[in-house]
Amino acid sequence: MSARSLFYKLFAGNHTQQIPVCSRILTRQKFHTSAASGKPATSPSTNINGLSRYRKLSVGVIGAGRIATSVHLRNILQHLRLDLKWIIENDVARQRFARDELMLGDEFPFFTSNDRFKLLDDESLDAVFVLTPVETHTEYACDALQRGKPVFVEKPPGVNYTDVKHGYETAEKFQTPLLTGFMRRFDPAVQATVKAVQQGDIGNIHVISLVTRDSPRPSYEFLSSLAKTGCNIFSDLTPHDIDLMVWLTGAERPESIYLTGHAHDPVMKECGEADTVTALLKYRTGVVASINNVSESKYGYDIRFEVFGSEGMAQMDNPRLSSAKLELSSGFRSPRICTSFPDRFSMAFQNELEHFINCVDGTESPLITKEECLMTTEIIDRGTQSFQEGGVVRFQ
């Protein structure tokens, strides 16, 4: 067999990700541990309220769009402790797609947003997932929180700083958990890298470099449906990098930000939206951070970051679809990186769900805090201002 034939035999075609299988095993094990620390979470059989940690939780989902059908609804339906009671979705076509894609059956109940109050008033309902467009996140989350229902809300938790603050203040007022879906925090590779930085392995942080290059490019329909900020890629894709930067810096307030970008895609150019952006942030402690985002990467879903410090460097690189490698006289070949976010962060999404269940049980507190979400939101707001004005914007 020729070297070329051997290569294609090893690497060609679609590779099945094995991460989900491992994740299901870890998920069952993590009933007994804390998602944030790995330490035992009170009793293996009861929560702080004395309720069984193995009882079924009755949950509802608001929104059946892209992230819901590709990730969250699948994980909810597969989880042994969750009983999905209903889905709210105003779009009939999305209802039909979700019913068919997830094999829910004709009898499964779908409702519209007008029905949400009677659904949320159901005393048997344990928690709610808000997976709708960003402009409705705060309203729907608060509707549930005011009725004592723990809420998982996809990122970002609101359109602006005021909305995010209102959402978290509502959670505080009604003493009800609110978890924002920054799923990268629950990825084992991300956690290990951040832990090394936070415990001082690389000394004082000097430089943070974050890269996100999306794959495949979201549909133009989806991109055009985003809130019109003048830089949608920064308000929709970049928040994951910003949240990671906020986590690494302990929610330190930046000194300044400069955001620039360009539209290489003619359709995006016609829409007046950038498909490539770079942000540069400076902190008063001397930390310099850069974020590079593009909306389409032909070679795969490229997510990595590096932290350089006074004593060394911490780095998280891309996993690949297989660990097989080929060394030849002509050079080195390896399988491609993951195709999209459901593949790359399969385990993170499942760990995130497990953490939310623990928050509902009362054995853990949300890993992503109000202060961190507010700082992330402020950076997004200032970055958008920088892009619109074409200059450096300083934090007050």
Side-chain angles (χ1 to χ4, degrees):
M1 182 181 294
S2 69
R4 181 181 295 273
S5 298
L6 176 61
F7 174 75
Y8 282 113
K9 183 177 178 64
L10 286 170
F11 304 122
N14 294 324
H15 295 262
T16 302
Q17 267 283 50
Q18 298 302 313
I19 290 179
V21 176
C22 299
S23 297
R24 287 194 289 273
I25 296 171
L26 287 174
T27 295
R28 295 190 184 101
Q29 293 173 339
K30 288 183 74 173
F31 278 132
H32 304 280
T33 62
S34 160
S37 65
K39 298 178 181 178
T42 63
S43 163
S45 59
T46 61
N47 63 19
I48 58 175
N49 298 315
L51 299 174
S52 170
R53 296 192 69 220
Y54 296 112
R55 71 181 180 89
K56 281 276 191 179
L57 296 177
S58 174
V59 301
V61 170
I62 307 179
R66 177 172 173 250
I67 189 73
T69 54
S70 63
V71 176
H72 293 303
L73 280 168
R74 296 176 187 274
N75 288 340
I76 291 169
L77 289 166
Q78 291 173 4
H79 201 287
L80 297 176
R81 285 203 59 203
L82 300 182
D83 184 11
L84 180 62
K85 290 297 187 181
W86 45 259
I87 297 174
I88 290 176
E89 174 55 60
N90 293 335
D91 190 305
V92 176
R94 285 182 177 173
Q95 288 185 16
R96 186 164 52 248
F97 178 81
R99 192 184 298 278
D100 294 343
E101 185 74 8
L102 302 171
M103 295 182 287
L104 294 174
D106 295 336
E107 71 282 357
F108 185 85
F110 277 83
F111 298 92
T112 68
S113 58
N114 292 332
D115 302 309
R116 70 185 185 277
F117 300 111
K118 67 178 182 181
L119 296 171
L120 295 174
D121 283 334
D122 181 358
E123 292 186 1
S124 70
L125 186 69
D126 291 300
V128 176
F129 294 79
V130 177
L131 312 174
T132 51
V134 177
E135 58 268 22
T136 60
H137 281 185
T138 301
E139 178 184 1
Y140 292 168
C142 288
D143 288 342
L145 292 167
Q146 289 167 2
R147 290 163 172 80
K149 311 300 184 185
V151 171
F152 172 90
V153 59
E154 252 306 330
K155 65 83 195 166
V159 173
N160 51 43
Y161 189 92
T162 301
D163 282 353
V164 175
K165 183 179 179 182
H166 175 61
Y168 274 94
E169 287 179 346
T170 302
E172 291 172 345
K173 179 179 179 180
F174 291 91
Q175 299 182 339
T176 305
L178 172 62
L179 177 65
T180 298
F182 287 112
M183 82 293 187
R184 294 186 191 180
R185 293 211 190 193
F186 300 92
D187 177 71
V190 172
Q191 290 178 332
T193 309
V194 172
K195 181 180 179 180
V197 174
Q198 291 179 336
Q199 67 188 17
D201 289 356
I202 66 167
N204 297 323
I205 301 175
H206 290 180
V207 179
I208 302 174
S209 302
L210 304 110
V211 171
T212 292
R213 296 169 185 166
D214 207 0
S215 170
R217 175 187 53 75
S219 68
Y220 291 123
E221 179 184 8
F222 171 78
L223 292 172
S224 64
S225 70
L226 298 173
K228 295 299 179 183
T229 63
C231 193
N232 282 340
I233 186 175
F234 190 70
S235 60
D236 180 69
L237 184 61
T238 313
H240 284 296
D241 293 293
I242 297 173
D243 172 68
L244 182 52
M245 182 176 64
V246 167
W247 195 22
L248 284 163
T249 59
E252 181 185 345
R253 189 181 184 81
E255 183 179 79
S256 63
I257 183 171
Y258 175 66
L259 177 66
T260 188
H262 185 77
H264 296 275
D265 186 319
V267 177
M268 297 297 289
K269 186 174 184 179
E270 185 176 346
C271 294
E273 286 289 343
D275 56 35
T276 303
V277 295
T278 293
L280 185 66
L281 294 97
K282 173 68 164 53
Y283 286 82
R284 290 175 175 83
T285 54
V287 174
V288 176
S290 66
I291 302 174
N292 168 237
N293 283 176
V294 297
S295 62
E296 183 175 23
S297 166
K298 295 293 187 182
Y299 57 85
Y301 188 67
D302 186 2
I303 308 294
R304 39 201 165 88
F305 71 94
E306 174 184 297
V307 186
F308 174 81
S310 58
E311 301 298 327
M313 176 188 72
Q315 186 179 70
M316 190 211 72
D317 208 344
N318 291 299
R320 297 188 175 273
L321 295 180
S322 166
S323 60
K325 297 183 291 186
L326 190 61
E327 290 274 10
L328 301 172
S329 58
S330 58
F332 172 80
R333 296 170 184 169
S334 66
R336 63 172 291 162
I337 59 178
C338 295
T339 303
S340 63
F341 71 89
D343 297 327
R344 169 60 183 88
F345 290 110
S346 173
M347 182 178 289
F349 278 116
Q350 294 186 53
N351 290 343
E352 177 185 63
L353 178 59
E354 198 67 37
H355 175 59
F356 179 59
I357 290 172
N358 290 340
C359 291
V360 176
D361 279 333
T363 59
E364 292 181 11
S365 297
L367 177 62
I368 297 97
T369 67
K370 168 187 174 182
E371 292 72 25
E372 290 171 330
C373 273
L374 287 174
M375 182 53 64
T376 295
T377 305
E378 185 175 0
I379 292 172
I380 294 171
D381 291 346
R382 299 289 185 186
T384 301
Q385 179 185 349
S386 171
F387 183 83
Q388 292 171 338
E389 296 177 357
V392 175
V393 170
R394 298 192 175 277
F395 289 71
Q396 301 300 322

